[in-house]
Amino acid sequence: MTPSKPWFLYVLLCNDGSLYTGATNNVQKRLHRHNNVKSASAKYTWARRPVFLIAAWKLPSKSDALVAEHSFKKLSRAEKLQRVNEWGPLPDYPYDY
């Protein structure tokens, strides 16, 4: 059995200063889509372009990433920024972005 591709919880800083949180298995591709592909972008981020990646954390599975996303979205803005600072903004490469 092939090991599953890792998933990521990611945080974007939108052009209006708001934060957007999502989960994906390819951060680079998802960031590109948020900024460049209207049909593949969240309505929220499309109206707030450009968006900038400020954090991404590797998780072992899609399920773990979705649970982490749900929990992260419940936090206040201050708590989210605190997590970004505490956990470190971006993982070391060479993750498959």
Side-chain angles (χ1 to χ4, degrees), residues 2-69:
T2 308
S4 62
K5 188 172 183 177
W7 277 72
F8 297 86
L9 170 67
Y10 66 93
V11 182
L12 303 178
L13 176 64
C14 299
N15 195 37
D16 66 357
S18 63
L19 300 174
Y20 178 86
T21 304
T24 185
N25 62 1
N26 187 322
V27 177
Q28 185 177 14
K29 181 177 178 181
R30 191 69 186 115
L31 178 62
H32 174 79
R33 290 175 148 230
H34 276 296
N35 278 316
N36 300 296
V37 184
K38 185 174 184 179
S39 64
S41 177
K43 286 181 185 180
Y44 185 87
T45 58
W46 187 253
R48 292 163 174 82
R49 291 174 300 133
V51 297
F52 305 94
L53 181 66
I54 62 168
W57 301 287
K58 184 179 175 182
L59 294 157
S61 69
K62 180 178 182 178
S63 176
D64 291 327
L66 294 176
V67 168
E69 176 188 10

Side-chain angles (χ1 to χ4, degrees), residues 53-57 83-91 97:
L53 181 66
I54 62 168
W57 301 287
R83 296 294 191 286
V84 169
N85 290 328
E86 287 175 355
W87 297 345
L90 298 169
Y97 283 12

